[in-house]
Amino acid sequence: MFIPKEAGVRPGNYVTMPPEIIDRPGTLTVPYAGKIYAIGRTIRQLEEEIDRSLANRAIDPQSVLTIVSRSSSQATLIGAFTTPSKIEVGPNGERALDMIAKANGITPPGYETYITVQRDTRKATVYFDTILANSKEDIYIHPGDIIYAYREPHRYLAFGAVLTQGQIDFGATKLSLAEAVARASGLDDARADPHEVFLYRLARAACWNALMST
């Protein structure tokens, strides 16, 4: 029934059909067998149904089905990924870092990147470096999840008797006060008093008292 061009140069009488997509009503189309209802059936059940549909056209038909991809098992990765796309969640489950790796990683520095996972009506955001540092934050991703990566640059404001004033990027995970002054091109020798370099930080009173006591 399906005579391939290469039938004379290989054993057996079989042919590989092009991939078929299960449509929205839940059916796939097989030549000579027609439409086969697929939803709720196992692979073996589908093979048996195709064999029954071909029984009056072929002698002892035997079909073999292979799942190429599952759109219903995909998660969507968008934002600051190297390759944002829909990626299939494996049958054994995929963690957040697994999915990020499949998207070829993130484009901004990790210390400036936040990851948001949206699942149905719930949403949670975590610092990327926190996922690396704490395995409990590396959650399992479910089919249908949306993973959004975005950059939030870490900056500080330098003003007063420094040579470079304005907002300045950290450029690193952590920054000491001396490094911050250096990134501002240092103090202005004509105006600055090296004994009076001030750090202003918005914080709750309890946090500030704890900081001052250490």
Side-chain angles (χ1 to χ4, degrees):
M1 183 170 55
F2 303 120
I3 301 299
K5 293 180 180 180
E6 68 275 15
V9 296
R10 62 168 171 77
N13 182 18
Y14 66 90
V15 65
T16 300
M17 304 299 296
E20 291 286 340
I21 298 176
I22 297 177
D23 57 22
R24 193 171 291 275
T27 61
L28 58 86
T29 302
V30 179
Y32 296 100
K35 288 187 177 296
I36 305 295
Y37 192 71
I39 291 181
R41 292 182 172 182
T42 65
I43 292 295
R44 185 59 197 146
Q45 289 172 335
L46 283 175
E47 291 172 344
E48 292 173 350
E49 177 64 22
I50 293 172
D51 292 343
R52 284 193 295 268
S53 300
L54 294 175
N56 62 343
R57 292 180 176 271
I59 299 174
D60 191 21
Q62 296 180 5
S63 57
V64 177
L65 269 65
T66 301
I67 297 177
V68 177
S69 65
R70 303 171 185 259
S71 59
S72 61
S73 299
Q74 293 177 337
T76 303
L77 283 77
I78 57 176
F81 293 107
T82 303
T83 312
S85 58
K86 283 190 173 183
I87 298 177
E88 187 172 335
V89 180
N92 295 327
E94 306 278 2
R95 292 185 180 271
L97 289 178
D98 296 328
M99 299 299 286
I100 293 172
K102 287 186 175 182
N104 295 319
I106 55 177
T107 53
Y111 60 83
E112 292 185 342
T113 303
Y114 290 84
I115 304 295
T116 297
V117 176
Q118 181 174 333
R119 180 174 300 160
D120 298 325
T121 57
R122 294 178 295 168
K123 184 187 295 184
T125 300
V126 66
Y127 187 40
F128 178 77
D129 279 3
T130 300
I131 302 178
L132 295 177
N134 186 357
S135 60
K136 291 182 179 179
E137 298 292 345
D138 189 15
I139 63 172
Y140 277 102
I141 300 301
H142 292 185
D145 284 357
I146 298 175
I147 307 173
Y148 173 55
Y150 66 96
R151 180 182 185 184
E152 191 171 293
H154 292 182
R155 296 190 176 107
Y156 64 95
L157 181 63
F159 59 94
V162 290
L163 294 176
T164 300
Q165 301 192 33
Q167 289 191 347
I168 301 175
D169 289 340
F170 269 53
T173 304
K174 296 180 180 180
L175 200 66
S176 68
L177 179 57
E179 291 170 332
V181 173
R183 285 187 175 273
S185 301
L187 301 178
D188 186 345
D189 293 339
R191 299 184 299 135
D193 182 350
H195 296 92
E196 296 185 1
V197 176
F198 299 95
L199 172 65
Y200 297 92
R201 178 182 300 166
L202 296 176
R204 294 188 299 273
C207 294
W208 183 252
N209 291 336
L211 178 65
M212 295 300 293
S213 65
T214 58

